[in-house]
Amino acid sequence: MTTKQKNHKKPAKKASPRNWQAPTKPSSGVQNKEIRITAIKDGTVIDHVPAAKVFDVVEILNLKSHKDVVSIATNLDSKKIGKKGILKVAGRELTKKEVDEISVVAPQATINIIKDFKVKEKSKVEVPQQLTAVFRCSNPKCITNLQPIATSFSIIAKNPVKALCFYCERVMGAEEIQLR
Amino acid sequence: MGGIVFKGRDIISIRDFSGEELLYVLSIARRMEQRPQPALMKGRIMASMFFEPSTRTRLSFTAAMKRMGGDTIGFAKGEVTSTKKGETLWDTVKMIEAYSDVIVIRHSLEGAARLSAEAASIPVINAGDGTNQHPTQTMIDLYTIQKEIGKLDGITIGFLGDLKYGRTVHSLAIALSHFKAKMYFISPTALKMPEYYLDELEQKRVTFHETDDVLKALKHLDVLYVTRIQQERFADPLEYEKFKNVYKVGPDILNGAKKSLIVLHPLPRVGEIDPALDEFPNAAYFRQAANGIPVRQAVLSLVLGAVK
Ligand SMILES: [Zn+2]
């Protein structure tokens, strides 16, 4: 998996001269788009987020109120997950809780910690055992959707993610998991 | 039995109990049935909070408490005014717990009992939360099977009817997974067991089969568990009529079955079982209903620490 990512990224980081002959091949379109994302000096890059979940990550990280640079690219082709998105967040490291929450909407995501334009640390997200609060139960008759209480789920399967609601005991599949 | 503690415990979901714990509840229920305890609950108050009507369940809990000398307070749907004004369930529970020793709750929303248990410092018993759980019903089912057949281990059970929405089926299947039971799920395709329950059973290494043909499964069964097929589950009333007739259980089914087969139904029935079956010893559903008293007595006295 790591080699794939490297292949993926190297050309993007490298020189632009190659770029203009690229558009004929769909896969090179990725390079084209990736290069448009500003590199960040210090911060976090979240890669391999399913395109449909990019704005969930924006919400999880509360990026609307982030003051430093945030660049987001989405609908990039990815061999691994179809259409993907990348988020680059300057001046910010993620908490364990945030990484846990991202793992549920984007189980394949990678988190790169950037220091001085270099990847200082790279890790894959890992789906935790327990989740609270940020997700809503997909069962409309669940008490958590009708009373002012925090949700709570246990993760019963990781690939694909399946979550069991602590209250109504309904199992949600990955596609049903939504933010509150 | 060491390690089993019920005092102060909530009874919310059948998933919260190990096989050993379930057997323990059944053993106390047997004791209650054999040697009634008319003064065991003297001075104790059970509060019943029935946000949704279920006369049968409410009366059964009330009778269980009163036959042990205990008292009851509570309300049934229609009598509640404060919740209509928007009081949260949490606040209602906080108020009721000050008046009682144990709370029995029935609610149309799933997870309501779990929420109440979090709010209350006294034990909470779930008497049905939407289509989710009704653990004392499952304990009654287990008690009946054990009493009628003599064991739970390795029995073969067929579930018939609405397996998609039937919470009694879901809970009993999960409970019986502790006892290596073999299961047949018999239903029209539209009312099949939900996939996530089948996944759970598979994980627990339960042997099960799915079929839409009662007769195919019948000869293997020790227990046939029949549930209501509700008309409102069908978009097309003609489909409902068709299923209703195909799945009607009458004396004729006994021809293809083991002589010892018992037929269970959580009641009330609405035409799934022909009353002509009632006179056969195989019809165990009224005995099952009567078992509600000793089982609920066992649960109440266990969580209140009145028996050990
Ligand atoms: Zn829920």
Side-chain angles (χ1 to χ4, degrees):
Chain A
M1 240 175 261
T2 2
T3 44
K4 260 190 203 166
Q5 284 165 15
K6 271 180 191 159
N7 289 342
H8 215 74
K9 278 215 164 151
K10 257 185 201 160
K13 272 186 193 162
K14 267 191 192 167
S16 35
R18 278 220 222 142
N19 253 348
W20 75 268
Q21 43 173 231
T24 46
K25 285 192 284 177
S27 64
S28 333
V30 177
Q31 300 160 10
N32 224 345
K33 282 175 197 155
E34 274 193 36
I35 213 146
R36 280 185 216 135
I37 312 179
T38 331
I40 52 170
K41 182 166 179 281
D42 298 299
T44 306
V45 174
I46 304 134
D47 197 358
H48 298 103
V49 176
K53 301 290 183 182
V54 166
F55 291 97
D56 282 0
V57 176
V58 170
E59 209 164 302
I60 287 170
L61 299 179
N62 192 22
L63 294 180
K64 276 179 197 156
S65 55
H66 190 61
K67 298 284 180 268
D68 212 331
V69 174
V70 177
S71 27
I72 298 169
T74 187
N75 293 326
L76 312 174
D77 289 315
S78 159
K79 281 197 186 122
K80 211 157 94 181
I81 58 168
K83 293 280 183 191
K84 72 161 185 175
I86 300 182
L87 298 95
K88 298 190 177 186
V89 187
R92 177 91 132 76
E93 284 194 19
L94 311 189
T95 65
K96 163 103 173 52
K97 185 170 166 279
E98 287 167 337
V99 175
D100 283 353
E101 289 163 7
I102 290 172
S103 76
V104 176
V105 296
Q108 310 262 42
T110 47
I111 310 277
N112 302 284
I113 296 171
I114 311 292
K115 283 271 146 71
D116 210 12
F117 295 108
K118 290 202 181 79
V119 177
K120 188 192 140 206
E121 204 183 306
K122 182 172 193 160
S123 58
K124 289 207 64 176
V125 297
E126 211 178 303
V127 181
Q129 294 299 327
Q130 286 288 329
L131 278 182
T132 51
V134 285
F135 297 98
R136 70 181 291 270
C137 181
S138 63
N139 174 8
K141 283 191 71 194
C142 178
I143 191 89
T144 60
N145 288 320
L146 293 125
Q147 295 263 324
I149 45 160
T151 55
S152 175
F153 303 92
S154 37
I155 302 297
I156 55 167
K158 295 196 173 180
N159 192 23
V161 173
K162 279 187 188 166
L164 174 76
C165 174
F166 172 70
Y167 289 95
C168 73
E169 301 184 28
R170 198 66 70 84
V171 175
M172 287 193 288
E175 67 294 344
E176 292 171 289
I177 295 174
Q178 283 178 352
L179 295 173
R180 270 194 131 176
Chain B
M1 282 193 203
I4 297 184
V5 179
F6 271 97
K7 188 180 175 183
R9 215 164 147 179
D10 305 306
I11 310 290
I12 306 300
S13 166
I14 208 70
R15 284 198 175 88
D16 300 341
F17 302 95
S18 67
E20 197 191 359
E21 286 172 329
L22 292 172
L23 288 175
Y24 184 61
V25 174
L26 306 191
S27 73
I28 300 296
R30 199 172 319 117
R31 223 156 85 189
M32 290 291 173
E33 192 178 352
Q34 286 162 358
R35 290 194 305 277
Q37 305 272 338
L40 193 64
M41 287 286 137
K42 210 160 188 285
R44 314 270 197 147
I45 296 175
M46 176 190 94
S48 62
M49 302 169 54
F50 275 59
F51 292 92
E52 180 190 63
S54 175
T55 313
R56 188 179 294 267
T57 306
R58 194 163 55 93
L59 292 182
S60 169
F61 269 107
T62 306
M65 193 65 182
K66 293 202 164 174
R67 284 202 184 281
M68 297 188 291
D71 221 328
T72 64
I73 58 168
F75 55 79
K77 200 204 173 195
E79 298 168 22
V80 203
T81 49
S82 55
T83 48
K84 278 189 193 142
K85 286 180 199 147
E87 185 180 44
T88 61
L89 178 58
W90 183 280
D91 287 359
T92 309
V93 170
K94 279 287 176 203
M95 172 194 70
I96 298 284
E97 79 165 331
Y99 307 155
S100 56
D101 301 299
V102 58
I103 291 174
V104 177
I105 179 174
R106 173 122 175 166
H107 204 289
S108 59
L109 292 177
E110 289 145 32
R114 185 74 75 186
L115 173 64
S116 305
E118 292 200 307
S121 55
I122 59 174
V124 173
I125 299 172
N126 183 4
D129 60 332
T131 60
N132 181 33
Q133 286 276 331
H134 189 3
T136 57
Q137 177 65 52
T138 307
M139 290 169 180
I140 293 162
D141 297 341
L142 292 172
Y143 184 69
T144 307
I145 295 169
Q146 192 192 47
K147 194 171 152 190
E148 298 273 336
I149 299 191
K151 61 171 187 177
L152 292 173
D153 270 305
I155 61 149
T156 300
I157 183 168
F159 294 97
L160 176 72
D162 180 354
L163 309 187
K164 187 171 177 189
Y165 300 97
R167 81 180 157 201
T168 53
V169 171
H170 304 158
S171 296
L172 184 55
I174 297 297
L176 282 171
S177 71
H178 295 297
F179 305 104
K180 297 192 166 58
K182 290 187 244 357
M183 305 177 192
Y184 285 83
F185 297 112
I186 312 154
S187 73
T189 319
L191 297 177
K192 265 168 52 115
M193 273 293 267
E195 224 32 64
Y196 50 88
Y197 276 106
L198 295 180
D199 286 350
E200 190 172 346
L201 293 175
E202 217 159 79
Q203 258 172 27
K204 293 184 160 142
R205 295 167 192 275
V206 173
T207 311
F208 64 82
H209 309 272
E210 289 186 278
T211 173
D212 58 5
D213 186 350
V214 193
L215 297 175
K216 253 187 209 157
L218 205 55
K219 60 176 182 288
H220 304 287
L221 304 182
D222 301 306
V223 180
L224 179 62
Y225 194 96
V226 186
T227 62
R228 265 197 304 287
I229 294 191
Q230 285 165 299
Q231 189 167 3
E232 55 268 30
R233 306 289 187 212
F234 292 85
D236 180 357
L238 288 176
E239 283 290 284
Y240 168 70
E241 287 302 318
K242 200 176 89 192
F243 289 134
K244 203 177 73 177
N245 294 324
V246 170
Y247 290 99
K248 186 156 186 146
V249 175
D252 50 313
I253 63 138
L254 299 176
N255 297 329
K258 286 185 186 175
K259 203 164 172 276
S260 60
L261 173 81
I262 58 163
V263 179
L264 299 182
H265 190 300
L267 300 179
R269 58 179 161 182
V270 283
E272 306 85 15
I273 297 181
D274 183 346
L277 187 68
D278 296 359
E279 63 189 81
F280 291 85
N282 312 72
Y285 31 87
F286 291 121
R287 300 195 290 275
Q288 176 188 10
N291 289 334
I293 300 292
V295 171
R296 290 188 169 121
Q297 284 181 326
V299 169
L300 285 165
S301 50
L302 277 167
V303 299
L304 286 172
V307 291
K308 282 204 189 88

